[in-house]
Structures are given as structure tokens and as C-alpha cells.
Amino acid sequence: MAVASHLDAEVALPPLTPGPHRARLGVISIVACFGGLLFGYDTGVINGALRPMSAALGLDALTEGVVTSSLVFAAAVGALLGGRLSDALGRRRMLVALAVVFFVGTVVLVLAPGFEAVVAGRVLLGLAVGGASTVVPVYLAELAPFEIRGSISGRNEVAIVVGQLAAFVVNAILGSALGHLDGVWRIMFAVCALPAIALFAGMLRMPESPRWLAARGRHDEALAVLRTVRAEDRAVAELAQIERAGDAPDGGRHDRLRLAEVLRTPWLRRILLIGIGVGVAQQLTGINSIMYYGQTVLVESGFSAQAALIANVAPGVIAVVGGLVALAMMDRLDRRTTLLIGFSLTTLCHVLIGVASVALEPGHPIRPFVILALVVAFVGAMQTFLNVATWVYLSEVFPQRMRGLGIGIAVFAHWLANGAIALGFPSLIGAVGITGTFFLFAAVGAVALAFIATQVPETRGRSLERLEHELAAGRPLAHRR
């Protein structure tokens, strides 16, 4: 009965209407997405800063791997902590705090006298990146109306790839103009202080998540926030729906679920495992081997170091284009369909890169350009069909009472997989070359396709409250009506 009454309530929601509230929602999403921009810049800047940093500080292959992966492993911890702290303190307050950590980490890194201080700065940035990777998508999903939730939440992933592209462009410009300076890598890192300041100042003026407020019994404040981002009748109806979901069995109580309770409840345990699987599968495509070591891959394929630094901008450009296309599709194409297309295309690209590296021997004049074209195609497919969809999906699939915990654990696993690739990719390339590496990624992609097809539920076209009731009622693979 709880499910039926909830569905009836959702049908009765007034339609979305244009007005100042839509513009307000747009402003909120832009400000929050500075967190995604910082995520992208801080993960992408190492791509071009690593070589001059290594030369200046005397790093070897092992310490290069530690510097690169320290941010990623710290991000895993930051994701886990960020999800739980945002449940306790609020989404907005967490984003303000994360802006401070971004700024402090940047200062430590820029002033670092040696390897140890560099790692300390990268760890601070990693904690902030991980926290942002969980809090920003949830904040946007909880503010957005369900009809356009995909395109609103997906803006964060576009901000991430814009940040990565910005890092690649800044690296290319500074590397070409100031590459003779020992401290050019410090300037590359210093740039990210600017969006950290913008995030801090902007979030001080942004509202709290209405669903977080309602879950704590602060219904008047939740309604006040909804009235700024919805028409009046829609705001009142939506709050009533949120309150009704809170009164349903297992729904919306003010206390937060603990992990032990999640693991004891079969449907919650399954949703947690699905979230972990989606997050890890996205990373095991090897996308961040290109974002972190793109210059290394291109040098391995036959480009000179300087040409590779410039050519590395191409994957960054296609990532932004793909992100914009994905954003346009998010409210039109089901999540499961998007993920299935994405893993099919990326697996095909992996196979083609492996075949090209075998068919075109090192030294062949067209080898580097063919591999660059296939890498660009891989990044384009990844960004168009997988990256945006993954982050939107993780922000939607978990019930309110475990949303911070669930996305925190899923993104923790996501970052651990990311860190394993960041740490092991140079050794993998050295051991089996481009050929073996990308054939391995293709095999993992085939497993991911089977997982998506058989285990992953649809989330598009449902409010967060309705989705929770459908999952609890045992309809985990239901397609959008």
C-alpha cells in the first residue's frame, strides 16, 4: 500500500514551469560544479606536471607512482568520509569545508621543498577531490526535479572534464613557454587555487539540500528552499511527497542507516553492491590511465615528449564535447541503455588499440597518429556514454537514509580501482606494452557488460522517493515507464 500511495502522489505533482526558479537552480548547479572543476584539474594536472617535477626533485619510477597515486588513494578515503559527514553536517556545509581543503592542499603543494611535502599536498587534495566526488552529485540530485535530474546532476561530470581539459591546456602553454624553469610545475598546480576560492565564496550563498533538511524534520526550511527552485504549487506538492515517503515503512526516518543494518537487509545490500560494481567498472575501463599518463602512452606510441604534451590536449577536448552530448541525452535515454552502449564502444576501442599496436610496429610513421585517433575515440565514447551516466546513476540509486553512506562506499571502491591503475599502469605498460594493456582492458569491459545487463536497475524518470519504494518492493530491473 505504501508503494501504491506513493506512486499516486508522484503522478499528482504539478508539471515543471519556466520562471526565475529555473534560473536559480542553474546558478546553484554552476556554483556547486566548481567542486567538479577542482576534481578535474587536480586529477589532470599531474599529466603534464609530472615530468618537470621529477626532473626538479629527482624522482624515480617508484616515487613518480607514489606522487600520482597518493591523491587517488586519499580520494578513496575522502569519498568515504565525505558521504558520511555530508549526512551528518549537510551537503552545503561540506562543500564549504572542502573548498578550504582544496586551497590548503594547493598551498602545501606549491611550496613543497621535496618529495614528502609533495605527497602531503597531494593527499590533502585527494581528500578534497574524494569528498567533492560524493557530495556534489548528491547535492545536485537532491535539489533537481526528477524530470531533469540527469542533466542537472550530469553537469558535475562535464565540470570534471572541463577541469581536466583546463589542466591539459595550462600544462601545454606553461610547458611550451616556461618549460626551461625548474619550478614550472609549481605554477601548474597553483592555478587550482582560483576555483577553490570561487567554490568557497559561492557556496556561502547557496541553500542546503531540501531533502537533507526534510530528513531532519526541518520541513519549513525545506519548503523555503524548494520555493526558490520550483513554482509555488510544485514546491508544496514535492515537499508533501517527501514527507509521505518519510512516513512510509523503511522510508525517510531521521536516523541514518549504519553499514551493519545495510548488510543485514537484502535489498539494501544488493543496491550497495550494484553501486560498487558500477563505480569500479567505470574505472576499470582504464580511462584514467589516459588522463594521468596520456603523455606516456603517446610517447610509447611514437610521439616525441613535446609533441605528446601538445597532442594530449585532443583527448581533453573530445572529453568536453562528449560530456556536452551526454548532458543533452541524460533526460532522453535510459541509464541502463547508456551504460550498455558505453561499455560496448569502449571495449571495441580497447580491442582496436591493441590490434593497431600489433599491426603497426614501433617506428612506423603512422603508428602514433592511429593510436592517438583511437585513444580520442575511446575517450569520446567514455565521456559520452559512461562517465556522466555513472556519476548521475550513483547519485540516484541509493535511498535517502543511506545515500551518503552508499555513495561514499561506492565511490571509495571507485577510487581504490582508480588508485590501483594510477600506481600500476607504468609497470603494466613496461611489462606487456600497449598491446597487452588494452587487451586486458577489453576483457574487463566484456565482464562489465554482462554485469550491467543482468544486475543494474533503471533509475531515470522516477523521483528519488518513488525509486526507493520500487527497489524495496523487489522490482530491481524495471525499465522506465
Side-chain angles (χ1 to χ4, degrees):
M1 290 298 293
V3 175
S5 64
H6 178 78
L7 295 181
D8 291 342
E10 180 170 302
V11 172
L13 281 178
L16 294 181
T17 56
H21 53 277
R22 294 291 289 271
R24 174 65 171 165
L25 184 61
V27 170
I28 292 170
S29 68
I30 290 171
V31 172
C33 283
F34 275 110
L37 187 73
L38 284 158
F39 174 159
Y41 191 92
D42 283 322
T43 54
V45 68
I46 195 68
N47 198 321
L50 186 59
R51 292 173 73 90
M53 179 198 294
S54 298
L57 301 181
L59 304 182
D60 57 21
L62 176 61
T63 50
E64 283 184 356
V66 171
V67 166
T68 301
S69 62
S70 58
L71 181 147
V72 181
F73 285 118
V77 177
L80 201 58
L81 293 175
R84 291 303 271 169
L85 288 174
S86 73
D87 274 352
L89 304 176
R91 320 306 189 197
R92 172 185 168 277
R93 191 177 300 175
M94 267 304 297
L95 288 173
V96 172
L98 288 170
V100 175
V101 180
F102 272 119
F103 185 81
V104 172
T106 299
V107 171
V108 170
L109 194 54
V110 170
L111 300 178
F115 167 72
E116 293 81 5
V118 166
V119 171
R122 292 278 290 173
V123 166
L124 284 172
L125 289 176
L127 291 172
V129 165
S133 70
T134 59
V135 180
V136 175
V138 167
Y139 178 68
L140 294 177
E142 291 183 347
L143 272 160
F146 76 87
E147 297 94 332
I148 58 171
R149 189 175 61 231
S151 59
I152 295 294
S153 299
R155 292 178 187 183
N156 183 58
E157 174 59 29
V158 174
I160 292 172
V161 293
V162 168
Q164 289 174 330
L165 175 59
F168 298 159
V169 171
V170 168
N171 288 345
I173 292 172
L174 293 177
S176 299
L178 303 175
H180 58 285
L181 300 178
D182 288 342
V184 64
W185 60 275
R186 299 181 190 273
I187 304 173
M188 293 174 177
F189 285 116
V191 172
C192 90
L194 299 177
I197 294 170
L199 178 64
F200 178 83
M203 285 308 302
L204 290 177
R205 300 176 61 84
M206 295 299 106
E208 183 51 83
S209 157
R211 285 180 167 84
W212 184 87
L213 291 169
R216 275 137 193 86
R218 296 158 63 177
H219 299 286
D220 290 343
E221 294 175 65
L223 181 59
V225 173
L226 284 170
R227 281 173 168 155
T228 67
V229 292
R230 307 282 196 277
E232 175 67 20
D233 57 345
R234 174 67 180 244
V236 173
E238 200 162 317
L239 179 63
Q241 183 185 91
I242 293 170
E243 291 172 338
R244 227 179 328 265
D247 292 335
D250 263 349
R253 297 202 309 267
H254 299 169
D255 55 314
R256 291 172 291 142
L257 284 171
R258 297 185 179 276
L259 180 59
E261 188 177 351
V262 172
L263 296 178
R264 284 196 303 267
T265 308
W267 77 275
L268 292 176
R269 183 172 63 242
R270 184 176 184 186
I271 291 303
L272 180 61
L273 291 175
I274 288 170
I276 291 171
V278 170
V280 169
Q282 187 255 11
Q283 276 305 300
L284 293 184
T285 59
I287 181 59
N288 281 318
S289 65
I290 303 300
M291 294 306 173
Y292 302 156
Y293 297 108
Q295 188 179 12
T296 300
V297 171
L298 294 178
V299 168
E300 175 76 12
S301 70
F303 284 104
S304 68
Q306 188 64 31
L309 185 64
I310 296 171
N312 201 44
V313 173
V317 171
I318 199 65
V320 173
V321 173
L324 294 173
V325 173
L327 211 57
M329 294 191 311
M330 267 291 93
D331 296 321
R332 299 190 179 114
L333 198 62
D334 284 352
R335 313 290 190 242
R336 278 170 47 82
T337 302
T338 305
L339 292 171
L340 288 169
I341 293 172
F343 278 109
S344 298
L345 291 177
T346 55
T347 301
L348 175 62
C349 289
H350 290 146
V351 171
L352 292 177
I353 291 171
V355 169
S357 65
V358 171
L360 301 173
E361 296 181 355
H364 195 291
I366 69 168
R367 185 176 194 264
F369 298 99
V370 170
I371 291 178
L372 173 62
L374 290 173
V375 165
V376 168
F378 162 58
V379 173
M382 187 78 196
Q383 191 58 43
T384 304
F385 295 101
L386 285 186
N387 283 355
V388 173
T390 295
W391 288 107
V392 169
Y393 190 85
L394 292 179
S395 73
E396 294 174 335
V397 74
F398 297 109
Q400 176 69 40
R401 289 180 62 218
M402 67 170 287
R403 189 162 294 136
L405 173 67
I407 194 172
I409 292 174
V411 178
F412 174 77
H414 163 99
W415 281 110
L416 285 182
N418 188 335
I421 289 174
L423 186 60
F425 186 77
S427 300
L428 189 61
I429 283 284
V432 299
I434 291 178
T435 305
T437 298
F438 281 90
F439 279 146
L440 178 60
F441 287 149
V444 173
V447 174
L449 269 170
F451 168 74
I452 299 297
T454 60
Q455 299 299 321
V456 172
E458 184 55 58
T459 60
R460 185 173 79 94
R462 297 164 168 85
S463 73
L464 298 179
E465 292 73 32
R466 175 182 175 183
L467 176 63
E468 177 177 346
H469 278 289
E470 290 194 349
L471 294 172
R475 287 180 277 173
L477 291 177
H479 290 273
R480 186 184 67 84
R481 294 179 183 178

